[in-house]
């Protein structure tokens, strides 16, 4: 665990921020490359990626505050605190906000919607796989206690100060679970993209695969609530189920449209 990559007096470079930035740049580079392959306006696609990323950051933070509203309502100053700003937020909040902004921008620039969405799907998976390594380095998004042979134990007090990471306890490395899942999903999506496919089917496949992985990972991720408030599942799992359904519907619908 290395929450601070470089520290000089009071200045430090957070490992999380570095890896998330690298993930974003890798995903954006891949989207531009696939856009050129698909005959799309590369500049418009790159601008779309930047706008969606900014919306994603805001959406992730917003959902973090919403899901932990009781804590932030009692401590409103924490909303703009350093720990909240450095926290990754809730990925689903970022994904939903990014999709909404993307839909607006695609319509405004008259880009082919499904084909444009498809060029981003592999890059999102790649960038997220790299970004989750940043979560692991920072110590956020940890799992529940376990005595499995692959359990990890965090010891850096900086992570505890910033994120409340439990120290000296063996935990499920949920950050690595998700990073590995996204790496596999990236490989599947990229291979599938290079073959003939119906527009929109790559996005549908991403939503189906990622949300399925996230649904099961949530069972071993640490939550503030001892019991799900919307039992039998946590909020993130209900969102995952909704996106699984949407991804499956989109995948089947776009394939059906291609055959018609």
């Amino acid at each position: 665990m290395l929450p601070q990559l470089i520290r000089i007096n009071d200045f430090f470079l957070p490992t999380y921020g570095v890896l998330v930035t690298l993930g974003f740049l890798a995903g954006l580079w891949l989207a531009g490359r696939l856009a050129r392959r698909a005959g799309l306006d590369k500049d418009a696609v790159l601008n779309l990626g930047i706008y969606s990323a900014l919306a994603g950051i805001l959406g992730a933070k917003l959902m973090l505050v919403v899901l932990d509203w009781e804590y932030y309502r009692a401590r409103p100053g924490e909303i703009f605190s350093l720990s909240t700003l450095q926290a990754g937020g809730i990925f689903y909040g970022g994904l939903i906000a990014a999709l909404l902004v993307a839909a607006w921008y695609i319509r405004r620039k008259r880009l082919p919607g499904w084909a444009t969405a498809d060029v981003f799907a592999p890059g999102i998976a790649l960038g997220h796989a790299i970004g989750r390594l940043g979560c692991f380095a920072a110590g956020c998004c940890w799992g529940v206690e376990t005595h499995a042979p692959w359990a990890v134990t965090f010891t850096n007090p900086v992570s505890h100060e910033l994120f409340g990471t439990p120290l000296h306890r063996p935990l499920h490395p949920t950050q690595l679970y998700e990073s590995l899942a996204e790496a596999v999903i990236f490989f599947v999506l990229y291979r599938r993209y290079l073959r003939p496919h119906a527009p929109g089917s790559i996005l549908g496949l991403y939503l189906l695969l990622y949300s399925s992985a996230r649904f099961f990972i949530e069972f071993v991720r640490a939550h503030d609530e001892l019991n799900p408030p919307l039992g039998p599942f946590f909020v993130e799992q209900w969102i995952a189920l909704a996106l699984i359904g949407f991804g499956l519907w989109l995948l089947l619908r776009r394939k059906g449209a291609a055959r018609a």
Side-chain angles (χ1 to χ4, degrees):
M1 183 174 61
L2 184 66
Q4 297 175 350
L5 189 62
I6 298 174
R7 185 177 186 93
I8 303 175
N9 297 325
D10 292 333
F11 169 80
F12 68 91
L13 194 62
T15 308
Y16 173 83
V18 171
L19 287 173
V20 167
T21 301
L22 289 176
F24 169 71
L25 293 176
L28 193 62
W29 169 81
L30 181 60
R33 180 178 176 181
L34 295 181
R36 186 186 300 115
R37 179 187 179 91
L40 300 176
D41 184 339
K42 181 181 176 181
D43 289 338
V45 168
L46 293 179
N47 288 335
L48 171 59
I50 294 171
Y51 293 145
S52 297
L54 293 174
I57 293 171
L58 181 60
K61 305 293 186 187
L62 180 60
M63 183 164 280
L64 174 67
V65 173
V66 169
L67 292 183
D68 203 6
W69 176 242
E70 292 300 322
Y71 173 84
Y72 286 104
R73 185 176 66 174
R75 307 168 183 83
E78 284 293 312
I79 295 177
F80 302 103
S81 68
L82 181 62
S83 60
T84 300
L85 292 175
Q86 289 184 332
I90 305 298
F91 176 73
Y92 276 135
L95 178 62
I96 292 171
L99 289 175
L100 291 174
V101 169
W104 167 79
Y105 187 85
I106 286 171
R107 185 179 181 86
R108 183 170 181 268
K109 292 296 183 178
R110 298 182 179 179
L111 292 167
W114 295 122
T116 303
D118 283 346
V119 304
F120 276 101
I124 292 173
L126 175 62
H128 198 192
I130 298 172
R132 279 303 182 193
L133 295 178
C135 288
F136 182 69
C140 61
C141 307
W142 62 89
V144 298
E145 187 169 343
T146 180
H147 295 284
W150 56 85
V152 297
T153 302
F154 296 106
T155 59
N156 196 312
V158 174
S159 294
H160 180 73
E161 292 171 7
L162 290 176
F163 310 113
T165 309
L167 303 181
H168 310 293
R169 288 170 51 193
L171 307 172
H172 273 288
T174 47
Q175 312 94 328
L176 298 184
Y177 295 164
E178 196 162 341
S179 179
L180 177 60
E182 283 283 43
V184 172
I185 291 169
F186 158 69
F187 179 77
V188 171
L189 294 180
Y190 186 73
R191 290 283 300 272
R192 184 69 187 88
Y193 188 92
L194 297 181
R195 304 203 307 267
H197 60 273
S201 62
I202 305 300
L203 174 63
L205 185 58
Y206 168 74
L207 293 175
L208 176 63
L209 294 178
Y210 172 71
S211 298
S212 297
R214 182 66 181 266
F215 176 81
F216 289 106
I217 291 173
E218 285 298 325
F219 283 113
V220 293
R221 187 191 298 272
H223 294 270
D224 292 332
E225 310 92 348
L226 294 178
N227 297 300
L230 300 175
F233 304 128
F234 292 99
V235 174
E236 294 87 348
Q237 290 176 303
W238 287 114
I239 296 174
L241 289 175
L243 291 178
I244 288 171
F246 178 66
L248 185 59
W249 173 83
L250 182 58
L251 190 61
L252 296 176
R253 181 179 176 85
R254 299 311 301 169
K255 284 186 176 180
R259 289 194 296 266

